[in-house]
């Protein structure tokens, strides 16, 4: 009992800290991007970012199933390694499948969703396409976060995405302070925001042994 309570405050603190960082970043990023991108490009960014919740579905609920199986095997004293290997195969298959499918319809989809905002702005369309491709990785990465929960490292499942968002916010702020990008502003901002979160998702997959 004493051992349980000795580790509980730290886990609660880390989990709460990760959520606090994520919520704080969301509050801070909105006025920063609105001022930085302008009305039209900020609206295009918002349309793109609104799709992020849908791409969590890219994991096809493999994560919760994997978490339950890992806990079941461990309670029975069995190895969960084969289950992780199978999950890794599914992760690679889902990533390749969604990436190939979206690549075919990428630019027509960008024109359909953002055409009234960006017109024929090729860089803005490219920002949408790259952002979605990165969000696919972030969505599939949910499997890694669930594996971390099963391993008793759930605090990392909060801290890693929060760290990705925090790094993205800092990078965008630094870029804005330095005067911007030589390339398209929306395209550069999209990279700075989504790439750190993608790296966090890949780290989660690696640490959860499902990569």
């Amino acid at each position: 009992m004493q051992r349980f309570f000795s580790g509980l405050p730290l886990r609660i603190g880390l989990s709460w800290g990760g959520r606090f960082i994520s919520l704080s970043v969301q509050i801070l990023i909105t006025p920063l991007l609105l001022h930085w991108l302008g009305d039209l490009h900020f609206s295009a960014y918002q349309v793109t970012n609104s799709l992020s919740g849908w791409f969590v579905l890219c994991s096809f609920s493999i994560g919760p199933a994997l978490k339950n199986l890992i806990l079941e095997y461990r309670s029975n004293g069995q190895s969960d390694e084969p289950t992780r290997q199978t999950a890794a195969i599914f992760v690679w298959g889902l990533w390749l499948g969604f990436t190939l499918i979206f690549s075919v319809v990428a630019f027509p989809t960008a024109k359909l969703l953002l055409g009234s905002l960006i017109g024929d702005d090729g860089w803005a369309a490219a920002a949408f396409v790259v952002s979605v491709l990165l969000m696919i990785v972030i969505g599939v990465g949910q499997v890694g976060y669930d594996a971390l929960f099963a391993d008793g490292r759930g605090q990392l499942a909060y801290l890693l995405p929060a760290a990705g968002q925090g790094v993205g916010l800092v990078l965008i702020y630094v870029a804005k302070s330095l005067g911007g990008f030589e390339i398209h502003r929306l395209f550069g901002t999209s990279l700075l925001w989504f790439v750190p979160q993608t790296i966090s998702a890949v780290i989660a997959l690696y640490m959860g042994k499902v990569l």
Side-chain angles (χ1 to χ4, degrees):
M1 182 67 69
Q2 183 178 359
R3 182 181 177 185
F4 173 78
F5 281 107
S6 65
L8 185 61
L10 176 61
R11 292 175 183 270
I12 292 175
L14 291 174
S15 299
W16 187 88
R19 292 185 175 184
F20 178 80
I21 293 172
S22 293
L23 292 172
S24 299
V25 168
Q26 293 299 326
I27 293 173
L28 295 172
I29 195 72
T30 300
L32 176 64
L33 291 183
L34 181 58
H35 178 266
W36 176 232
L37 297 176
D39 292 344
L40 289 180
H41 280 165
F42 178 75
S43 299
Y45 162 81
Q46 284 290 77
V47 170
T48 303
N49 195 50
S50 68
L51 300 175
S52 60
W54 287 95
F55 285 98
V56 174
L57 300 177
C58 290
S59 65
F60 267 79
S61 296
I62 293 174
L66 174 64
K67 179 171 62 177
N68 292 336
L69 286 172
I70 289 174
L71 294 174
E72 181 180 336
Y73 285 137
R74 287 190 173 181
S75 66
N76 294 328
Q78 299 174 303
S79 172
D80 56 35
E81 192 65 26
T83 303
R84 292 180 192 264
Q85 293 174 353
T86 302
I89 293 173
F90 276 103
V91 164
W92 280 101
L94 289 172
W95 173 70
L96 288 172
F98 279 110
T99 299
L100 289 174
I101 291 172
F102 180 73
S103 297
V104 174
V105 300
F107 282 98
T109 303
K111 185 175 182 180
L112 175 65
L113 295 178
L114 304 179
S116 61
L117 297 172
I118 63 174
D120 295 326
D121 190 337
W123 276 109
F128 172 83
V129 172
V130 171
S131 297
V132 170
L133 291 174
L134 293 174
M135 282 192 285
I136 290 173
V137 180
I138 296 170
V140 174
Q142 300 303 311
V143 178
Y145 295 129
D146 281 313
L148 290 175
F149 272 113
D151 290 337
R153 296 181 289 173
Q155 64 274 14
L156 290 176
Y158 293 116
L159 290 175
L160 280 173
Q165 293 178 350
V167 170
L169 175 65
V170 171
L171 291 176
I172 292 171
Y173 179 81
V174 170
K176 181 178 181 295
S177 300
L178 294 176
F181 309 94
E182 294 182 4
I183 59 175
H184 194 279
R185 185 173 293 183
L186 176 59
F187 184 83
T189 299
S190 299
L191 288 179
L192 293 181
W193 177 242
F194 287 110
V195 167
Q197 296 178 62
T198 303
I199 293 174
S200 292
V202 173
I203 291 174
L205 290 169
Y206 176 78
M207 295 182 68
K209 301 178 183 179
V210 286
L211 186 61

